[in-house]
Amino acid sequence: MVTSSDVQEIVSKLSSDKAKAREDGIKLLTMWLEGERSIGFCKVIGQNTAKLKPNEIPQCKIDVFLRDP
């Protein structure tokens, strides 16, 4: 079962300035998204996201790439 510390580790690695850490984060995320493990991972992410209030949603670091020009 995935824990919040597992998710924090993935987020930390994916948001790193170092390419090696980001690669490790991708491998770790891929591991959690394979097979039946993905169900538990997505469930935890969904439940924790649903608990957030609108003013508690963290700013996405890639949102500038998703905006219209």
Side-chain angles (χ1 to χ4, degrees), residues 3-4 8-10 14 17 20 28-29 32-33 37 42 56 59 68:
T3 64
S4 60
Q8 287 175 333
E9 180 182 6
I10 293 168
L14 291 176
D17 291 337
K20 176 67 174 142
L28 193 56
L29 179 59
W32 278 108
L33 293 177
R37 294 178 90 179
C42 293
E56 295 176 334
Q59 291 295 321
D68 290 331

Side-chain angles (χ1 to χ4, degrees), residues 2-4 6-8 10-12 14 25-26 38 40 43 45-46 48 50-51 53 60 62 66:
V2 68
T3 64
S4 60
D6 293 324
V7 175
Q8 287 175 333
I10 293 168
V11 170
S12 174
L14 291 176
I26 291 169
S38 65
K43 185 176 180 179
I45 295 292
N48 290 339
K51 292 177 186 176
K53 296 176 183 161
C60 178
I62 63 166
L66 302 175

